Amino acid sequence: QVQLVESGGGLVQPGGSLRLSCAASARIFSINAMGWYRQAPGKERELVAATSRDGSTAYADSVQGRFTIARDNAKNMVYLQMDSLKPEDTAVYYCNFKAKFRSWSEENDYWGQGTQVTVSP
């Protein structure tokens, strides 16, 4: 079974930057989409950014122009560069792979355990 492990969260002041990383614990046969989601207290989990196999990207309106998603297919990793952070960006951030673990596997959703990002003076 594959696990995703996030790192890079923490406490940062408004206007600051953080870079999140997400790595798979084992080699994956094929990864279709990679994405970052977040969930703030009392709110539903929402998509922040996603990148597809062809490298195209999509962002939530609230982070467009401030966040950048990037993937490293050779390393089975995805990153989220977060700049100009705002207090409303405070949430637990989760990475997600839509992937086939083995050639004979069906595509499944894989999730990380989450990493806390807190933006506060």
Side-chain angles (χ1 to χ4, degrees), residues 9-74:
L11 174 64
V12 65
Q13 293 185 343
S17 298
L18 284 175
R19 185 174 186 248
L20 305 183
S21 299
C22 175
S25 62
R27 190 69 182 175
I28 299 174
F29 173 71
S30 70
I31 303 173
N32 186 3
M34 294 178 169
W36 288 94
Y37 290 71
R38 68 185 180 187
Q39 187 167 19
K43 295 187 177 181
E44 294 187 354
R45 189 174 298 190
E46 63 174 354
L47 177 65
V48 175
T51 176
S52 60
R53 193 177 182 84
D54 64 2
S56 59
T57 58
Y59 297 92
D61 289 343
S62 59
V63 307
Q64 182 75 45
R66 299 187 298 120
F67 291 10
T68 304
I69 189 170
R71 63 189 285 169
D72 186 331
N73 291 324

Side-chain angles (χ1 to χ4, degrees), residues 67-117:
F67 291 10
T68 304
I69 189 170
R71 63 189 285 169
D72 186 331
N73 291 324
K75 295 182 179 180
N76 285 348
M77 293 188 68
V78 64
Y79 308 92
L80 186 67
Q81 177 66 40
M82 305 185 293
D83 299 318
S84 303
L85 282 160
K86 304 176 180 180
E88 50 263 43
D89 295 318
T90 296
V92 178
Y93 284 71
Y94 300 88
C95 65
N96 168 264
F97 288 5
K98 298 187 187 303
K100 295 179 65 174
F101 181 44
R102 293 288 182 258
S103 60
W104 58 86
S105 304
E106 293 184 354
E107 183 174 285
N108 284 315
D109 275 305
Y110 295 92
W111 293 92
Q113 81 286 355
T115 185
Q116 177 70 45
V117 171

